[in-house]
């Protein structure tokens, strides 16, 4: 009897520990999610997740979190609706187990429950950036100043509407209106915790410091709010223009060289020498 009672207590204790661990794990995992999502603070890159378990089944959430692209490709109407609502930007796949996703759901539900109970929530105030931060962010974005971790400059992959720069790369999204799309905190979260595979790989082991995140965010917020004052450039158009110009230049040089060769060929020179010698 004593053994059974002790066993029951042990099992209950383990279940209790697992519950706590699950909530703790969920909170830790949500740090990464917070780059694109909030809980009760509105849309960011993706939807607000408060009450998600009331809107979607656990099975659906697990599938969507693990690989939203596969779920969209399967023709799931809810997944397609989310994809289309958020600018056709698929959520990157996540290497999370079913249990890890469940811990995320548990954390989101508990966070939502706290908000519904009427607890005071800290208001998020938009940060006011200094001109010094904006200028420093511009230098980091353009690559004039190197990132401390040695990562590539933003302009390598992203274009931006800003007259002080030549056109940026066309490998990723144009960031001119990133502040309008995801807000200042959203920009900071995306820079601090890159979610897209190419960006993750580019900055693997090359973390961007908090100070650099603040400066880059300041610059991108400034660019968006001042975008009507700048004509900017288009990376694809610029590359095409320079490509065509380069092609024409090469063809002209080849044409001139070809004319000279045809005007006086090697065979003509040999013939003239033979005539002279006779």
């Amino acid at each position: 009897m004593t053994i059974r009672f002790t066993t029951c207590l042990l099992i209950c204790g383990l279940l209790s520990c697992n519950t706590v661990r699950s909530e703790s794990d969920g909170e830790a995992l949500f740090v990464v999610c917070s780059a694109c999502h909030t809980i009760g603070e509105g849309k960011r890159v993706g939807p607000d997740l408060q009450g998600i378990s009331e809107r979607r089944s656990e099975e659906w959430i697990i599938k969507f979190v693990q690989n939203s692209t596969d779920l969209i490709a399967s023709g799931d109407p809810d997944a397609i609706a989310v994809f289309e609502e958020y600018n056709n930007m698929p959520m990157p796949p996540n290497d999370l187990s079913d249990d890890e996703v469940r811990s995320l759901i548990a954390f989101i539900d508990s966070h939502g429950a706290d908000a519904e109970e009427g607890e005071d929530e800290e208001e998020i105030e938009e940060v006011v950036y200094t001109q010094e931060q904006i200028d420093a962010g511009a230098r980091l974005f353009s690559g004039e100043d190197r990132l401390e971790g040695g990562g590539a400059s933003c302009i390598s992959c992203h274009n931006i509407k800003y007259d002080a720069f030549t056109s940026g790369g066309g490998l990723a999204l144009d960031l001119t209106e990133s502040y309008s799309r995801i807000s200042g905190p959203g920009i900071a979260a995306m820079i601090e915790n890159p979610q897209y595979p190419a960006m993750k790989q580019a900055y693997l082991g090359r973390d961007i410091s908090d100070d650099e995140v603040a400066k880059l965010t300041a610059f991108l917020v400034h660019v968006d709010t001042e975008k009507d004052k700048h004509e900017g450039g288009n990376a694809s158009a610029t590359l095409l223009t320079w490509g065509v110009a380069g092609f024409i230049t090469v063809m002209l040089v080849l044409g001139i060289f070809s004319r000279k060769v045809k005007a006086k060929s090697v065979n003509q020179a040999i013939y003239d020498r033979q005539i002279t010698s006779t």
Side-chain angles (χ1 to χ4, degrees):
M1 187 71 172
T2 303
I3 294 175
R4 288 181 181 178
F5 180 70
T6 304
T7 303
C8 288
L9 284 177
L10 180 59
I11 292 172
C12 289
L14 288 172
L15 288 173
S16 176
C17 289
N18 285 338
T19 301
V20 173
R21 183 178 62 81
S22 177
E23 292 175 3
S24 176
D25 288 350
E27 183 174 8
L29 290 169
F30 190 78
V31 171
V32 177
C33 304
S34 64
C36 300
H37 301 278
T38 72
I39 306 175
E41 296 173 6
K43 297 177 180 179
R44 195 169 278 175
V45 181
D48 187 325
L49 298 181
Q50 188 172 39
I52 185 64
S53 61
E54 298 172 5
R55 301 192 300 273
R56 301 282 186 266
S57 69
E58 182 182 274
E59 180 184 3
W60 187 93
I61 296 171
I62 290 172
K63 288 181 179 179
F64 192 87
V65 170
Q66 290 175 341
N67 198 322
S68 67
T69 304
D70 284 352
L71 196 58
I72 293 165
S74 73
D76 183 273
D78 290 331
I80 293 172
V82 173
F83 174 66
E84 292 177 346
E85 182 179 354
Y86 291 90
N87 303 313
N88 294 338
M89 291 176 61
M91 186 172 75
N94 293 282
D95 186 20
L96 298 176
S97 68
D98 291 3
D99 286 339
E100 285 174 321
V101 179
R102 290 188 184 100
S103 71
L104 265 174
I105 297 171
F107 170 70
I108 293 167
D109 286 346
S110 66
H111 190 93
D114 290 341
E116 290 171 2
E117 288 171 7
E119 293 187 6
D120 294 332
E121 292 186 9
E122 182 181 353
E123 292 186 6
I124 298 177
E125 297 182 2
E126 199 66 46
V127 179
V128 177
Y129 298 101
T130 65
Q131 188 61 47
E132 183 180 0
Q133 286 178 305
I134 293 169
D135 293 341
R139 292 193 298 271
L140 288 171
F141 188 96
S142 66
E144 182 180 346
D145 288 349
R146 289 293 305 273
L147 293 167
E148 293 175 9
S153 61
C154 307
I155 205 169
S156 302
C157 297
H158 297 278
N159 187 44
I160 199 165
K161 185 180 176 183
Y162 195 65
D163 291 342
F165 296 164
T166 56
S167 296
L171 298 176
L173 288 174
D174 187 301
L175 297 182
T176 305
E177 298 183 354
S178 53
Y179 174 60
S180 298
R181 291 198 303 265
I182 60 176
S183 78
I187 294 172
M190 285 293 287
I191 297 172
E192 188 174 4
N193 296 296
Q195 295 302 299
Y196 293 94
M199 193 173 176
K200 272 186 175 180
Q201 187 61 37
Y203 294 97
L204 185 64
R206 302 180 179 90
D207 293 342
I208 302 175
S209 71
D210 292 342
D211 181 55
E212 290 170 332
V213 170
K215 290 173 179 176
L216 286 168
T217 302
F219 174 64
L220 289 172
V221 170
H222 171 74
V223 166
D224 196 343
T225 54
E226 299 283 323
K227 61 180 178 290
D228 293 337
K229 299 180 181 179
H230 297 268
E231 293 183 6
N234 182 282
S236 300
T238 302
L239 287 173
L240 179 62
T241 300
W242 281 105
V244 170
F247 176 76
I248 292 173
T249 302
V250 170
M251 293 305 294
L252 286 173
V253 171
L254 289 175
I256 293 170
F257 180 75
S258 177
R259 279 187 181 182
K260 287 184 177 180
V261 171
K262 288 182 179 179
K264 192 172 184 181
S265 66
V266 175
N267 290 337
Q268 182 65 44
I270 294 173
Y271 174 77
D272 290 342
R273 285 200 302 271
Q274 290 293 330
I275 294 297
T276 303
S277 64
T278 58

